[in-house]
Amino acid sequence: MNTAKKSIYLDYNATAPIRLEVKDSMLAAMDVPANASSVHSFGRAAKKQLEDARAVVAGVVGCFPNEVVFTASGTEANNLALRNFPERPLMVSAVEHPSALKVRPEVKVIPVDENGIININKLTDNLQFIHKPLVSVMMANNETGVIQPIREIAEAVHATGGLLHCDAVQALGKIPVDLGVLGVDMLTLSAHKFGGPVGAAALIVRQDLAIQRQLIGGGQELGRRAGTENIPAIAGFAKAVELAAKDRWQRDIREALDGMEEMILAAVPGAHVLGRQAQRLPNTSSLLMPGVSAETQLMHFDLEGFAVSAGSACSSGRIEPSHVVRAMGFSEEEAACVIRVSAGWDNKPEDIQGFATSWLKLAGRLVKKAA
Ligand code: PLP
């Protein structure tokens, strides 16, 4: 990766570095004009590239190719899923990305426990009072890495005649994503979270579900998403999916993060690792440094050469307390002291050990003063 200053990138959940092979496949796709709706030879070649990419994505997540609807972002795919079925009441977990949480004003929010997990019994109780809902629960959370019991949630939702959409944007490339196992009706993916380009994503839709396009225009994607398909980005998406399926970095990185978390918890009273009792992604740690604001932490880590991030940043650049951390029962003050470390295939365990030393150095200076 090319950065002006030699800095260690630990912000994969924001966006992952694009892989070299992905770049190459995109450049090759850009060499020819490519509108997959054109009938001439260029158009037919583009159509073949598009359908090859669709088959690759379908093969990795275990669905039929005609169930893959390409979109320009995970945000768009979530909107496409949740703006459909307006006759169904919408239920969304409290820790979803804003593209699911805010998509309809009348949404009913499903609470999570202190580990960020949905309680299946409570969900089942709630479902009794709601007629055939559309439910959206993410597979893994972008801030904490906490993994939801999607299979069980799908069974509970289906038992009441509901539909389940799952945002798997943070899951693909980090843990297996298999539609046969998950049993969901719709699933969102986004290429830039696992080494593909920004601007390529997909909504997987069960083939017996009819969805309406949300943009007015051409009949692309079997009428489910209008707009000329972005062939270079989609080619890069497919290459990234293929490469991610072969990745083996996960175990070493999780071990390094677990070691870091143990050190931090042992050394600093009042420190927290969010969702530590839950199953989590292999690459994510969400850390609370008591009494030290995320802004202060991010400045320190930036100066020390570590790129990490905090909860949702609003457009002014100020850090807002995260709705995910608040939903797990932390106060606004506590939520303001949480940062996220998210690693990936380009990291070594030493990067995480270096970050841990830097975290302890700052805590040694500032947490004592706050006490
Ligand atoms: N869903 C989750 C869980 C995410 O983390 C993100 C991006 O941060 C999105 C959806 C949106 O994806 P995109 O950036 O492709 O719009």
Side-chain angles (χ1 to χ4, degrees), residues 13-15 72-76 78 95-99 138 140-143 167-170 188-193 198-201 340:
N13 290 7
T15 193
S73 65
T75 298
E76 187 195 336
N78 281 350
V95 294
E96 295 303 303
H97 188 265
S99 55
M138 65 197 345
N141 186 266
N142 42 310
E143 294 184 31
D167 175 345
V169 163
Q170 292 292 345
T188 294
L189 305 170
S190 179
H192 75 100
K193 305 293 186 179
V198 175
R340 169 186 74 189

Side-chain angles (χ1 to χ4, degrees), residues 21 26 46 107 137 146 183 197 213 216 222 227:
E21 298 93 319
M26 292 177 70
V107 63
V137 177
V146 166
R213 64 189 175 193
I216 308 305
L222 299 177

